[in-house]
Short mmCIF file of all heavy atoms in Angstrom, two decimals:
data_model
loop_
_atom_site.label_atom_id
_atom_site.label_comp_id
_atom_site.label_asym_id
_atom_site.label_seq_id
_atom_site.Cartn_x
_atom_site.Cartn_y
_atom_site.Cartn_z
N ARG A 336 27.22 6.55 -11.18
CA ARG A 336 27.57 7.97 -11.34
C ARG A 336 28.53 8.23 -12.45
O ARG A 336 28.45 9.18 -13.21
CB ARG A 336 28.10 8.50 -10.03
CG ARG A 336 27.12 8.63 -8.90
CD ARG A 336 27.73 9.43 -7.71
NE ARG A 336 27.07 9.32 -6.48
CZ ARG A 336 25.94 10.03 -6.17
NH1 ARG A 336 25.48 10.90 -7.06
NH2 ARG A 336 25.30 9.86 -5.01
N ALA A 337 29.40 7.31 -12.62
CA ALA A 337 30.34 7.40 -13.65
C ALA A 337 29.79 7.17 -15.05
O ALA A 337 30.08 7.88 -15.98
CB ALA A 337 31.62 6.41 -13.43
N SER A 338 28.94 6.07 -15.20
CA SER A 338 28.43 5.71 -16.52
C SER A 338 27.31 6.57 -16.97
O SER A 338 27.02 6.72 -18.11
CB SER A 338 28.07 4.23 -16.52
OG SER A 338 26.91 4.04 -15.56
N HIS A 339 26.50 7.15 -15.94
CA HIS A 339 25.24 7.86 -16.32
C HIS A 339 25.29 9.27 -15.70
O HIS A 339 24.28 9.79 -15.23
CB HIS A 339 24.14 7.20 -15.74
CG HIS A 339 23.82 5.92 -16.67
ND1 HIS A 339 24.57 4.76 -16.72
CD2 HIS A 339 22.72 5.68 -17.49
CE1 HIS A 339 24.06 3.86 -17.60
NE2 HIS A 339 22.97 4.46 -18.06
N ALA A 340 26.44 9.90 -15.77
CA ALA A 340 26.57 11.28 -15.19
C ALA A 340 25.64 12.22 -15.90
O ALA A 340 25.07 13.09 -15.19
CB ALA A 340 27.96 11.80 -15.37
N GLU A 341 25.51 12.14 -17.16
CA GLU A 341 24.59 12.99 -17.91
C GLU A 341 23.13 12.90 -17.50
O GLU A 341 22.42 13.85 -17.32
CB GLU A 341 24.74 12.78 -19.40
CG GLU A 341 26.13 13.35 -20.06
CD GLU A 341 26.04 13.19 -21.50
OE1 GLU A 341 24.95 13.06 -22.14
OE2 GLU A 341 27.18 13.09 -22.14
N LEU A 342 22.72 11.61 -17.32
CA LEU A 342 21.29 11.38 -16.84
C LEU A 342 21.06 11.96 -15.58
O LEU A 342 20.15 12.61 -15.28
CB LEU A 342 21.06 9.88 -16.89
CG LEU A 342 19.62 9.44 -16.65
CD1 LEU A 342 19.34 8.13 -17.32
CD2 LEU A 342 19.46 9.13 -15.07
N LEU A 343 22.04 11.75 -14.56
CA LEU A 343 21.82 12.28 -13.24
C LEU A 343 21.88 13.84 -13.32
O LEU A 343 21.07 14.44 -12.48
CB LEU A 343 23.02 11.80 -12.36
CG LEU A 343 22.95 10.25 -12.06
CD1 LEU A 343 24.20 9.83 -11.25
CD2 LEU A 343 21.60 9.91 -11.30
N ALA A 344 22.70 14.39 -14.12
CA ALA A 344 22.72 15.87 -14.22
C ALA A 344 21.40 16.41 -14.74
O ALA A 344 20.90 17.49 -14.29
CB ALA A 344 23.91 16.27 -15.17
N GLU A 345 20.82 15.71 -15.69
CA GLU A 345 19.58 16.15 -16.30
C GLU A 345 18.40 16.03 -15.20
O GLU A 345 17.51 16.83 -15.13
CB GLU A 345 19.25 15.29 -17.48
CG GLU A 345 18.02 15.74 -18.37
CD GLU A 345 18.12 17.06 -18.87
OE1 GLU A 345 19.25 17.72 -18.92
OE2 GLU A 345 17.04 17.63 -19.42
N LEU A 346 18.46 14.96 -14.42
CA LEU A 346 17.49 14.79 -13.36
C LEU A 346 17.59 15.89 -12.32
O LEU A 346 16.58 16.48 -11.91
CB LEU A 346 17.63 13.38 -12.68
CG LEU A 346 17.08 12.19 -13.42
CD1 LEU A 346 17.41 10.87 -12.65
CD2 LEU A 346 15.60 12.22 -13.56
N ALA A 347 18.83 16.20 -11.99
CA ALA A 347 19.14 17.38 -11.07
C ALA A 347 18.58 18.66 -11.67
O ALA A 347 17.97 19.47 -10.88
CB ALA A 347 20.61 17.42 -10.73
N ARG A 348 18.82 18.95 -12.96
CA ARG A 348 18.29 20.10 -13.61
C ARG A 348 16.80 20.21 -13.59
O ARG A 348 16.18 21.24 -13.27
CB ARG A 348 18.91 20.21 -15.02
CG ARG A 348 18.42 21.48 -15.76
CD ARG A 348 18.84 21.37 -17.22
NE ARG A 348 17.99 20.47 -18.03
CZ ARG A 348 16.80 20.68 -18.43
NH1 ARG A 348 16.10 21.81 -18.12
NH2 ARG A 348 16.17 19.67 -19.08
N LEU A 349 16.07 19.08 -13.92
CA LEU A 349 14.69 19.05 -13.93
C LEU A 349 14.14 19.24 -12.47
O LEU A 349 13.10 19.96 -12.31
CB LEU A 349 14.18 17.73 -14.58
CG LEU A 349 14.33 17.43 -15.96
CD1 LEU A 349 14.00 16.09 -16.37
CD2 LEU A 349 13.61 18.50 -16.80
N GLY A 350 14.86 18.77 -11.58
CA GLY A 350 14.43 18.97 -10.19
C GLY A 350 14.50 20.50 -9.79
O GLY A 350 13.51 21.00 -9.11
N ARG A 351 15.56 21.01 -10.11
CA ARG A 351 15.82 22.46 -9.75
C ARG A 351 14.74 23.30 -10.44
O ARG A 351 14.11 24.27 -9.86
CB ARG A 351 17.22 23.00 -10.19
CG ARG A 351 18.34 22.45 -9.28
CD ARG A 351 19.65 23.22 -9.50
NE ARG A 351 20.04 23.04 -10.93
CZ ARG A 351 20.87 22.10 -11.44
NH1 ARG A 351 21.25 21.06 -10.66
NH2 ARG A 351 21.23 22.05 -12.72
N GLU A 352 14.62 23.07 -11.77
CA GLU A 352 13.53 23.93 -12.46
C GLU A 352 12.15 23.75 -12.00
O GLU A 352 11.38 24.67 -11.90
CB GLU A 352 13.61 23.53 -14.02
CG GLU A 352 14.94 24.01 -14.69
CD GLU A 352 14.94 23.63 -16.19
OE1 GLU A 352 14.01 23.03 -16.60
OE2 GLU A 352 16.01 23.92 -16.86
N THR A 353 11.81 22.51 -11.59
CA THR A 353 10.46 22.22 -11.06
C THR A 353 10.39 22.97 -9.77
O THR A 353 9.22 23.52 -9.48
CB THR A 353 10.29 20.70 -10.91
OG1 THR A 353 10.44 20.06 -12.20
CG2 THR A 353 8.87 20.39 -10.47
N ARG A 354 11.29 22.79 -8.86
CA ARG A 354 11.15 23.46 -7.55
C ARG A 354 11.09 25.00 -7.62
O ARG A 354 10.48 25.70 -6.90
CB ARG A 354 12.33 23.00 -6.64
CG ARG A 354 12.19 21.59 -6.33
CD ARG A 354 13.19 21.20 -5.16
NE ARG A 354 14.61 21.32 -5.65
CZ ARG A 354 15.35 20.47 -6.25
NH1 ARG A 354 14.72 19.25 -6.62
NH2 ARG A 354 16.59 20.64 -6.61
N ALA A 355 11.81 25.45 -8.72
CA ALA A 355 11.87 27.01 -8.92
C ALA A 355 10.57 27.54 -9.56
O ALA A 355 10.27 28.67 -9.38
CB ALA A 355 12.97 27.38 -9.82
N ASN A 356 9.82 26.61 -10.26
CA ASN A 356 8.51 26.98 -10.78
C ASN A 356 7.50 26.85 -9.71
O ASN A 356 6.90 25.78 -9.40
CB ASN A 356 8.21 25.99 -11.96
CG ASN A 356 6.87 26.41 -12.66
OD1 ASN A 356 6.04 27.07 -12.10
ND2 ASN A 356 6.82 25.94 -13.93
N THR A 357 7.24 27.93 -8.94
CA THR A 357 6.51 27.88 -7.67
C THR A 357 5.08 27.39 -7.97
O THR A 357 4.48 26.67 -7.10
CB THR A 357 6.42 29.26 -6.99
OG1 THR A 357 6.05 30.21 -7.97
CG2 THR A 357 7.79 29.59 -6.48
N GLU A 358 4.45 27.78 -9.12
CA GLU A 358 3.07 27.39 -9.39
C GLU A 358 3.06 25.87 -9.56
O GLU A 358 2.14 25.24 -9.09
CB GLU A 358 2.64 28.10 -10.60
CG GLU A 358 1.12 27.82 -10.88
CD GLU A 358 0.62 28.63 -12.09
OE1 GLU A 358 1.30 29.56 -12.55
OE2 GLU A 358 -0.42 28.13 -12.71
N LEU A 359 3.98 25.32 -10.40
CA LEU A 359 3.97 23.87 -10.68
C LEU A 359 4.40 23.09 -9.42
O LEU A 359 3.71 22.06 -9.15
CB LEU A 359 5.01 23.56 -11.83
CG LEU A 359 5.20 22.11 -12.13
CD1 LEU A 359 3.89 21.49 -12.60
CD2 LEU A 359 6.26 21.92 -13.28
#
Side-chain angles (χ1 to χ4, degrees):
R336 288 190 193 281
S338 64
H339 285 67
E341 287 185 24
L342 184 148
L343 292 174
E345 186 64 10
L346 284 175
R348 182 187 69 78
L349 289 172
R351 285 193 302 272
E352 290 181 359
T353 303
R354 293 189 296 276
N356 184 337
T357 52
E358 185 180 341
L359 178 58

